Amino acid sequence: MDDKTYTYQPREPVEPDWTRFPGWRDVSVREWRDASWQRRHAVRSARRLHDLVGDWLADSVYEDLQQDQERYATMPVLLTPQLVNTMAPAALPGRPGSLTDAFRADPVRRYMLPLASDRLREWSSHPTARRDPLYEQEMWATEGLTHRYPTKVLAELTATCPQYCGHCTRMDLVGPSVPQVVKARFGTHAPERLSAMLKYIQANPRIRDVVVSGGDVANVPWRQLEDFVATLITTAHIRDVRLAAKSLMGLPQHWLSPEVRRGLERLAALARRNGCSLALHTHINAAQSVTPLVSEASRAVLEAGLRDVRNQGVLMRGVNDTPAALLDLCFALADDPGITPYYFYMCDIVPHSEHWRLPLAEARSLQEDIMGWLPGFSTPRLVCDVPRLGKRWVHQAVSYDRERGVSTWGQASLPYYDPIHLLPPAGRAWWKSQEALTISPLCQDGP
């Protein structure tokens, strides 16, 4: 892609006017900046969305959302006001139904609030879809502690978030059950589970890198989170600790609270004294999500002394599947909030995710198109998280059968699959012939 097809334009972040929504007409700036207010007023259902937006959305939208929750959704509806306010931010409703088209087309809405009409009627789920697509639970060294890479572990401290993404890779464990999915549950209480994680990490000096995740660490009581991270930092062989939190975008108010800011300063100082790198990883998929509050929260985290704030997004159809959309997002991240565009993952093969997923060839093309526009340290790597193997750059496949949409990876030639509906006719016919041999995706990996 050249400067004839994309033009970089500095973007001034804008906080959309939340009072444009009937349900928030009287909400003050003080309330909006309060994390507790944001949590209490989260949208959790089609009815609550109607209470907020009213007849500016056609009744068909609320019916569409309700049908999705009953028939397809693997995650419950949970959206902070901050998130909802970034949907269709430029639309100015003036009559009944006038927000409908912009809302349906909006990229943040498309992945945070899926509708039944978004889903594919045929091949809504890939035949190989799994509730735990990366086999993380099989790799638990202790409950909630995934040891997949030789020197790195993933610690899942909680199974909840301030907001739920429709494409969640941990949909089997994270969030309350929904009609389609009875969720798995941790078998031990948090103090016992976290203690076992720390004991395992301390007993294994090969481990140098710990990703502290969930769920979202914003849902871990701060004192519990700080104690856990402080223990990691003061463990002699730990050199990198990363906190994983989509809430930097979905609930920036949490990261601006005095308790969290002071706690981050203490942890950052402790990390410096112990020669440990402390960073925060977030998950932003669309440029419009980078509002002044998100920038303020990111700068506050950096000012507290953390080494980096990095973004790990997911490639999704209708959200960021064009070079322009990806570059707009990367520049929005780097310019004002100082967030490093780090990874964009190909969407994991979870049930009913096919309308979001891109084929490998398209991901490769996107990687090539964005090269040269950003500084090297801000040029994200597009990766495939290959089940049982781990992250690989999209150009590292050992083989790629484009007709059947099957790529193989690593020395063991482990497979990853393109969406079937985008294959040529011969490829779709081959998968159709295999259909009787597959297991219903929602029956795999049951609790």
Side-chain angles (χ1 to χ4, degrees), residues 153-193:
V153 293
L154 166 71
E156 299 173 54
L157 268 57
T158 179
T160 65
C161 302
Q163 68 287 303
Y164 291 128
C165 306
H167 62 284
C168 182
T169 190
R170 299 194 183 108
M171 48 119 326
D172 187 44
L173 180 69
V174 172
S177 296
V178 291
Q180 290 291 307
V181 183
V182 177
K183 300 299 180 86
R185 289 288 175 259
F186 287 129
T188 54
H189 295 300
E192 178 184 351
R193 188 170 68 253

Side-chain angles (χ1 to χ4, degrees), residues 204-226:
N204 286 273
R206 291 177 61 204
I207 300 170
R208 69 173 304 280
D209 182 356
V210 182
V211 178
V212 183
S213 184
D216 191 308
V217 296
N219 273 21
V220 181
W222 180 259
R223 178 50 60 187
Q224 185 180 70
L225 177 62
E226 185 172 349

